Amino acid sequence: FSGNFAHYGAFENRHANHILDVSFAPADISGKIQAEATAIARGILDTLRVVGVLTVEFFLTKTGKLTVNELAPRPHNSGHLTIDACVCSQFEQQLRAVCGLPLGSTEFLRPAAMANLLGDLWEDGAP
């Protein structure tokens, strides 16, 4: 555990029928909420001494309060958009972290979105 830290910022997830439908980044939230989410995430990573990618999923209440919903200690489906949108994807970042290499740039090359297309969409051919 080196304590090195990099983050992609907050992504926004929209759900349909309680299943992730679309993720997009950057999230449409204030800078204050973004900074608070980052600080909470870093605190969790440091406290747990995490090596590798950890996705911290939050709920944002109507009153602007962040509540941690889930910790996913792995590249996360909502972050797959980093493959094409960022200098270093979450998958490359995971390898860098566990191999003790310097963390890559999490800079976004462009705003991005990802649709979560589940298996039954292909029953009758490509959706």
Side-chain angles (χ1 to χ4, degrees), residues 102-116:
L103 298 179
S105 170
T106 57
E107 177 186 357
F108 273 80
L109 303 171
R110 64 192 65 81
M114 178 201 72
N116 190 23

Side-chain angles (χ1 to χ4, degrees), residues 8-61:
Y8 292 93
F11 297 5
E12 190 164 332
N13 293 331
R14 301 273 170 91
H15 294 79
N17 300 319
H18 308 288
I19 297 172
L20 177 64
D21 185 37
V22 178
S23 293
F24 57 93
D28 185 19
I29 58 175
S30 71
K32 179 182 177 203
I33 300 276
Q34 175 77 253
E36 183 181 354
T38 301
I40 292 169
R42 179 156 197 175
I44 291 168
L45 282 147
D46 288 346
T47 299
L48 298 176
R49 301 178 57 82
V50 172
V51 174
V53 171
L54 176 73
T55 299
V56 180
E57 187 175 287
F58 294 94
F59 289 127
L60 178 60
T61 69

Side-chain angles (χ1 to χ4, degrees), residues 51-53 75 88-103:
V51 174
V53 171
C88 178
S89 76
Q90 66 172 349
F91 297 98
E92 180 181 342
Q93 200 73 286
Q94 174 74 0
L95 287 173
R96 287 173 169 274
V98 300
C99 291
L101 299 171
L103 298 179

